[in-house]
Amino acid sequence: MGVVNVTPDSFSDGGRWFSADAAIEQGLALARRGADIVDVGGESTRPGAQRITSDEELRRVGPVVAALVEAGVPVSIDTMRAPVAALAVAAGALLVNDVSGGLADPGMPGLIAQTRVPFVVMHWRGPSADMQHRAIYGDVVSEVRAELAVRVRALTAAGVDPAQLIVDPGLGFAKLPDHNWALLARLGEVGVLDGLDAPLPVLVGASRKGFIGRLLAASDTEPRPFAACDDATVALTALAAAAGAWCVRVHAVPGNVDAVRVAARWRQESAGSRQESAR
Ligand code: PMM
């Protein structure tokens, strides 16, 4: 999944694709470079970000979604608002990616039940403006799984089919760096939720996030700038895909596409050798 943030202030690419023309060009380029789906978002969710109006969000994403669909690009809409999701799906978006997992807008679960599109349920504890105050966990992996299971129950109670759902640990959303690393190291557990017969597919959004910059901080402890974190993002993509992630959401596509292919071959081989040794 390649990212196009049609925002002036997202932390990783803020402002670069704010005009519709630039965003459309970037979406087309991501698809050409191998993204299976292009995620279009109009509202920044960086820590401290303030909400924008629904009209403004629609003004930002509407023309971009329409043009990418028209060009044959598979599009997902990154929004917490049901009316924005509804218009994007009507325009041809194939997936709704909601960082609030359907919590921010009470209309979202019904819309997802009605449209039957795949829905990304990200772990979220509240709006970005003050989310880092909520980064308090005992065992972060168990708590994220339990809170995701609550969201999944609410969505299925609204008529959503569990087969539509993808879960996401929400790296950086009410998480400190240690929480993000714990979730990544135990990624295989994230989709295993109480009340479901089978694990749900997992999406990982680690690309260019601050915890990578902190890990790679220079000796003066200044975090590495986000744009210099792409190699480390590729490393995380390989590890996440080898651990069974269904999708990675990234800003720079080519290296990540290669990492996914390497991990797929790796998983194929290890599945084969497990079968051999079981014989
Ligand atoms: N992160 C951001 C935005 N949308 N969606 C999902 N499903 N998972 C994420 O981790 C996620 C997201 C914020 O990152 P950005 O500003 O680089 O887009």
Side-chain angles (χ1 to χ4, degrees), residues 1 3 5 7 9-13 39 43-46 78 97-99 120-122 168-173 203-209 249 251:
M1 174 184 279
V3 181
N5 287 318
T7 60
D9 57 345
S10 291
F11 71 89
S12 53
D13 54 6
D39 192 38
E43 184 171 40
S44 170
T45 50
R46 72 181 159 72
D78 184 346
N97 173 26
D98 180 350
V99 298
V120 177
V121 183
M122 202 192 79
D168 180 329
L171 302 175
F173 287 81
L203 186 148
V204 177
S207 183
R208 296 185 177 174
K209 286 199 173 153
R249 180 181 178 278
H251 302 84

Side-chain angles (χ1 to χ4, degrees), residues 86-107:
L87 279 165
V89 171
L94 301 177
L95 178 150
V96 175
N97 173 26
D98 180 350
V99 298
S100 82
L103 258 179
D105 185 337

Side-chain angles (χ1 to χ4, degrees), residues 28 63-73 75 91-92:
L28 294 171
V64 181
V65 171
L68 292 177
V69 168
E70 171 77 27
V73 174
V75 169

Side-chain angles (χ1 to χ4, degrees), residues 190-255:
V190 170
V192 181
L193 303 182
D194 279 351
L196 292 178
D197 299 336
L200 291 178
V202 175
L203 186 148
V204 177
S207 183
R208 296 185 177 174
K209 286 199 173 153
F211 71 99
I212 303 178
R214 295 257 176 89
L215 176 79
L216 304 176
S219 50
D220 58 6
T221 72
E222 268 303 299
R224 178 136 2 136
F226 65 79
C229 290
D230 281 342
D231 291 343
T233 296
V234 170
L236 275 176
T237 289
L239 291 165
W246 173 79
C247 182
V248 288
R249 180 181 178 278
V250 299
H251 302 84
V253 163

